[in-house]
Amino acid sequence: MSESVDHTQEHATLTLPSGQVVELPVVEGTEKERAVDIAGLRQKTGYITLDDGYTNTGSCESKITFIDGEKGILRYRGYPIQEIAKRCSFIETAQLVIWGELPTPEERSYFSDILTENSALPEDFRRHFAGFPVHAHPMSILSAMINALQSYDLPNMIIDSDEEFQRVAATLISKVRTIAAAAYKSSIGEPIMYPRYDLRYVENFLHMMFSRPYRDYVPSAEATAALNLFLLLHADHEQNCSTSTVRMVASGQANLYASVAAGVCALWGPLHGGANQAVMEMLTLIRDSGMTAQDYLARVKDRSTGIRLMGFGHRVYRSFDPRALLLKDACDKLLNSMNIVDPRLDIARELEEVALADDYFASRKLYPNVDFYSGIILTALGIPTEMFTVVFAIGRMPGWIAHWKEIHDNPASRIYRPRQIYVGSPEREWVNRFQRDKGNTTQGFIIPEELRAKLSS
Ligand code: CMC
């Protein structure tokens, strides 16, 4: 354990079945959250701890984000998310998350310059987009392209100064947006747009998504504000699945591009960043089938269906996710300002109301999470459903970079290497190939019936 965590004078006492008693130090974080430091447990006793899904495991110390899931608190570097949402641009938020302080006007302006300088893709890099089949999922393109970018941008894979880190961080934040828009343009067979030096971050992304060579797209102030809010609300969320993945990869001293590309892959799943796409598909299904909110929730509560209410529930928040409250409000404002009537917003509101009054959800402390309303905002902005998780990844980039930096800058960092409890077969005697029982085939490995006779002859 490094020296930044406060070791209290207190100890927890653990009595093992053998009667051995071990004293384990208790540590305390800035916000008084407490942990039992078990780092020496195996060495002293031979025991490890088992915590499938890491529900109770603190995997690291971090200074970036604080969440109190019981009280619905989220802070980046000590600043409440509500303040940041009211006062910050996404880029200022990124600087806060990565470097730990709100930027001065000079720092803000200089960062903006290096984002602009690093926004375009190398000309011969653009041909990689043509290598993907039409309809390739943009998350697959994004993860591959970020990794590919490393070989153009950081061929020696070494970041050995603050200036170099700053350049690479700016490159990633800037180019991830260019790649995302290019992936979209390729998927619809339109020419890839160049970034523009005169547009700010969010407008530039919308320009690359929706302008055409012969017609500029000019977003409304409300559209820009809604996307800015979406991005900054996603900027970091401490040790979630993708961020832990980034830290895991970084702990082996993999370069920043490889680490965040791994984060993109981890984000893709429907229980994590893919939930925003899944929510929209759920709302569309309810709309098109004519089901009521009650009908759908009955399906969710029937455990045999395996259906979940997407956009509900969170491992850490046991009350409202503050990001969901901010997005719900933004969603109303955006749709009103654009005069859009989307029946899926009414369906979402009704699902929320009915679910919150239902004991199934109340007893499990399931509330709307960040993904519940975000899809309606992105749809109103014209962003297609399969791009939702990509836009989440653009927002999460500062957090991934900040966590990589925390590992990279810490001289005491060690490779992440959890242990396991092995529950497989005990040691077995070897069976020679032709003595293996043909009736007792490997479970889950399928040989088509028509081929089986041929293969055994
Ligand atoms: N709908 C119905 N039941 C649910 C839901 C849901 N959305 N979420 C949890 N439950 C039930 C679950 O079946 C279990 O019930 P029981 O105790 O009777 O078996 C109980 O609540 C606890 O669920 P869990 O799966 O043990 O909780 P978890 O902490 O492992 O999972 C979660 C958290 C977010 C994966 C889960 O709530 C979920 O699948 N939600 C839907 C997907 C979603 O919206 N994901 C986005 C998360 S926020 C953005 C992000 O981090 O990427």
Side-chain angles (χ1 to χ4, degrees), residues 311-354:
F312 251 68
H314 200 277
R315 173 64 64 80
V316 180
Y317 294 116
R318 311 312 287 170
S319 67
F320 263 90
D321 176 340
R323 303 168 301 170
L325 291 175
L326 290 161
L327 282 173
K328 183 180 182 184
D329 193 35
C331 191
D332 283 339
K333 281 195 192 125
L334 181 69
L335 265 56
N336 285 338
S337 79
M338 295 175 99
N339 281 328
I340 295 178
V341 180
D342 188 335
R344 289 170 295 188
L345 179 58
D346 293 330
I347 295 172
R349 285 198 196 108
E350 200 185 343
L351 277 173
E352 179 186 345
E353 198 183 311
V354 179

Side-chain angles (χ1 to χ4, degrees), residues 27 40 149 233 243 328 405:
V27 296
L149 196 58
L233 290 180
T243 304
K328 183 180 182 184
K405 180 170 163 55

Side-chain angles (χ1 to χ4, degrees), residues 182-419:
Y184 171 59
K185 285 292 192 187
S186 312
S187 75
I188 56 169
E190 283 190 11
I192 294 173
M193 298 300 295
Y194 284 97
R196 275 176 39 181
Y197 76 93
D198 58 331
L199 294 179
R200 303 193 71 176
Y201 190 88
V202 171
E203 286 100 325
N204 218 343
F205 173 60
L206 290 170
H207 150 72
M208 287 188 279
M209 285 286 293
F210 301 123
S211 286
R212 292 183 173 142
Y214 52 88
R215 194 176 62 220
D216 273 350
Y217 170 86
V218 182
S220 68
E222 289 83 5
T224 307
L227 188 54
N228 183 64
L229 178 72
F230 175 96
L231 293 176
L232 69 82
L233 290 180
H234 286 79
D236 190 46
H237 212 235
E238 52 117 300
Q239 308 311 317
N240 54 81
C241 171
S242 57
T243 304
S244 299
T245 301
V246 170
R247 289 189 78 114
M248 172 73 80
V249 177
S251 79
Q253 297 186 354
N255 70 77
L256 180 51
Y257 293 84
S259 303
V260 299
V264 172
C265 294
L267 188 71
W268 199 348
L271 296 190
H272 189 16
N276 51 16
Q277 175 169 346
V279 169
M280 217 52 205
E281 285 162 359
M282 171 184 83
L283 296 175
T284 307
L285 173 86
I286 297 175
R287 182 196 63 190
D288 295 348
S289 66
M291 246 185 280
T292 63
Q294 281 85 350
D295 293 339
Y296 192 79
L297 293 177
R299 286 191 184 189
V300 171
K301 291 191 310 182
D302 172 1
R303 304 295 291 270
S304 68
T305 63
I307 297 175
R308 288 196 164 199
L309 178 56
M310 300 312 283
F312 251 68
H314 200 277
R315 173 64 64 80
V316 180
Y317 294 116
R318 311 312 287 170
S319 67
F320 263 90
D321 176 340
R323 303 168 301 170
L325 291 175
L326 290 161
L327 282 173
K328 183 180 182 184
D329 193 35
C331 191
D332 283 339
K333 281 195 192 125
L334 181 69
L335 265 56
N336 285 338
S337 79
M338 295 175 99
N339 281 328
I340 295 178
V341 180
D342 188 335
R344 289 170 295 188
L345 179 58
D346 293 330
I347 295 172
R349 285 198 196 108
E350 200 185 343
L351 277 173
E352 179 186 345
E353 198 183 311
V354 179
L356 291 179
D358 189 309
D359 189 55
Y360 175 96
F361 297 92
S363 63
R364 291 172 176 80
K365 298 189 173 162
L366 302 172
Y367 293 85
N369 62 46
V370 70
D371 292 313
F372 197 64
Y373 285 101
S374 64
I376 300 173
I377 294 185
L378 296 181
T379 304
L381 296 177
I383 295 172
T385 315
E386 56 292 354
M387 282 292 288
F388 286 5
T389 315
V390 170
V391 186
F392 187 153
I394 299 175
R396 186 51 55 85
M397 195 53 70
W400 290 336
I401 294 171
H403 284 271
W404 183 91
K405 180 170 163 55
E406 236 176 28
I407 292 216
H408 180 261
D409 290 354
N410 179 2
S413 275
R414 301 174 73 196
I415 191 163
Y416 282 18
R417 201 328 186 163
R419 287 184 178 264

